[in-house]
Amino acid sequence: MNIHLLIILAPLIAAIVAGLFGQRIGRAGAHWLCIGGVGLSFALSAVVFYGIVFGGQAPVNETVYIWMISDGLRMEVGFLIDRLSALMMCVVTFVSLMVHIYTVGYMREDPGYQRFFSYISLFTFAMLMLVMSNNFLQLFFGWEAVGLVSYLLIGFWYKKPTAIHANLKAFLVNRVGDFGFLLGIAAVAYLAGSLDYSEVFAQAAAISERELSLFSGTSWNAMTVICILLFIGAMGKSAQVPLHVWLPDSMEGPTPISALIHAATMVTAGIFMVARMSPLFELSPTALSFVLLIGATTAFFMGLLGIIQNDIKRVVAYSTLSQLGYMTVALGASAYAAGIFHLMTHAFFKALLFLAAGSVIIAMHHEQDIRKMGGLKKYMPITYWTSLIGSLALIGFPGFAGFYSKDIIIEAVHASHIWGANVAYWAVLSGVFITAFYSFRMFFLVFHGSERMDEHTREHLQESPWVVTLPLVLLAIPSVVIGAMTVKSVIFGDYFDGAIRVHPSRDVLGQIGSHFHSVLEFTASAVKHPPLYLALAGVAAAWFVYLKKPSLADSAAKNFAWLYRLFDRKYYFDHFNERVLASGSRKLGSGLWRIGDQALIDDGLVNGSAHVIGRLAGWVRKVQSGYLYHYAFAMVIGLSALLGWLIFNS
């Protein structure tokens, strides 16, 4: 069997069997089957990665199945396996494998155990379909499939009203983005006459010279329209402002799916898609500026919201929003390789932080408020040290994975000359301090300081079982070493040669790479740049405010109540959506129902016609009196009228 097809089918078959026959195979059968399926996908993905990167194998672009050909437009299932997709396959399957193993411990008492394993395996299948696709149709299938399964997983505990609200919110917000995405694909099919990547990319230059009239009297560059529409889809999937509101609420799902959605799958789909479409985006500076400014806005303003969060999972969730903004900024600056590099490093340390948060939640008997924790270091040493590693990687401390990917993005934006780069640079630079502050605020409040939990919880505190801590250790290792191991080939080398295309005038990574000749030299250069000092300042500020002088935080919240309220209300995005968009939609629907359905159709057409016929029947019934002289009189009147008409018209 084709190895690429087996990578796809292994988690799919496991998901089907666990989902349909979960009661027969039991809990152990479900988790071993799904872990085996994803493990096989990871092993085969590693083989493919080795062959592409080290074995000299040429990229594969193959068609597996032709579904339909309509007016010359081919709709098919196919695989494009190059260095970009090979990297994504390894990241997705490895993180998914860690989540599968972790789930055995985290969900062991849940009655929906088999169903959950079925869902997360199906999620892995959907993401693999997306990253391995060689055409827009399959891309859209994977795109919608991860959205569907995320809906099922966020609302996994469907008896909780908050979970149902969260999954419905995620579903509706993503439909907004997907509408733009679908229009973008339709524009590609209309202008290129094909859905195949290679054929579309070959026509990209010609498409960029065409104009589209979206409104009467206006003219838009066709490539700009396509790229912005495609990016609107990415804004929904990768939770960029203003389509970010669903992601924090997705914490209502079990912690393993929080790690899977936020680290390596759904939210990174938009980043991957834009990088894959680099031959199109490079032909539209306007679209690149739009991407850059949206990413900078998300990175800065969503990071600020992490400062006031008290739910341990929501702190990490807002961190994800901010880091996705960094990746998006890299895409807008034409530093696609840096965006994908940060996607890879972020997948490891963010999955680590989410799973570590889950370990804390288990130990705290499902308490998630960090204000009720403290002093957990002595009770949970493995969770403590792995959380520290994840936090240092997140803030970009030198030597850790996040340092290489985040610092390169900041330098790339600084070197970029695209419109909006100046604003974006200061946004991502300021974000370094913000990230360090809220990350170590959480770390210090959870693991250091006084113990603020109740006595019953304190008596039962202990480290999580090995099935939970093993994935933490395995994720902590790449969170330290993966950046230094790969930065030279991914950023300063030609790792993405052919898979990502950058216009020579916007090759900011090439400019940065020309100043460094080794990983050690790049690491040592941290002392010359502000991100290191901003990160250290953020850690120091968090230590001082939350451990040394905890009263300062309360005083700041009181003295700047308006600012705290603004952050607590999340800039009123939810308020606007619920009070204006949702309420307006309900009022519009109610008005259309009253005017169209009730007044026009029910009262006017249905009941109205019945009423008219009834009135007419009433009148006619009065004519049928049964008296002969009435009928004779009517006949005389009728004949007189007929005679008069004949006389006057003769």
Side-chain angles (χ1 to χ4, degrees), residues 49 53 83 87 336-342 344-345 405 408 482-483 485-497 500 509:
F49 178 84
V53 177
R83 293 187 169 207
L87 175 64
Y336 304 97
I340 295 296
F341 186 39
H342 195 50
M344 176 189 68
T345 61
S405 55
I408 286 170
I482 197 69
M485 287 175 58
T486 57
V487 64
K488 188 173 182 181
S489 60
V490 173
I491 301 299
F492 306 133
D494 58 352
Y495 177 84
F496 289 114
D497 184 35
I500 290 175
L509 293 181

Side-chain angles (χ1 to χ4, degrees), residues 373-376 443-452 546-547:
M373 299 179 187
L376 295 184
F443 182 79
F444 290 140
L445 287 177
V446 172
F447 294 104
H448 291 275
S450 59
E451 299 175 1
R452 299 178 296 279
Y546 292 100
L547 289 185

Side-chain angles (χ1 to χ4, degrees), residues 158-240:
Y158 54 83
K159 293 184 179 180
K160 289 174 58 179
T162 52
I164 296 303
H165 176 78
N167 75 348
L168 184 61
K169 188 175 184 179
F171 186 82
L172 292 176
V173 172
N174 273 278
R175 296 292 70 72
V176 176
D178 291 353
F179 181 68
F181 188 61
L182 188 57
L183 287 177
I185 294 176
V188 167
Y190 171 71
L191 294 169
S194 175
L195 293 172
D196 185 85
Y197 291 162
S198 58
E199 294 179 14
V200 173
F201 295 162
Q203 300 182 55
I207 293 173
S208 67
E209 295 175 358
R210 298 182 62 175
E211 301 286 328
L212 290 176
S213 180
L214 301 182
F215 308 101
S216 179
T218 63
S219 182
W220 295 68
N221 179 268
M223 190 57 72
T224 297
V225 172
I226 288 173
C227 291
I228 289 178
L229 287 173
L230 291 176
F231 182 67
I232 289 172
M235 287 170 64
K237 276 289 182 290
S238 294
Q240 299 295 291

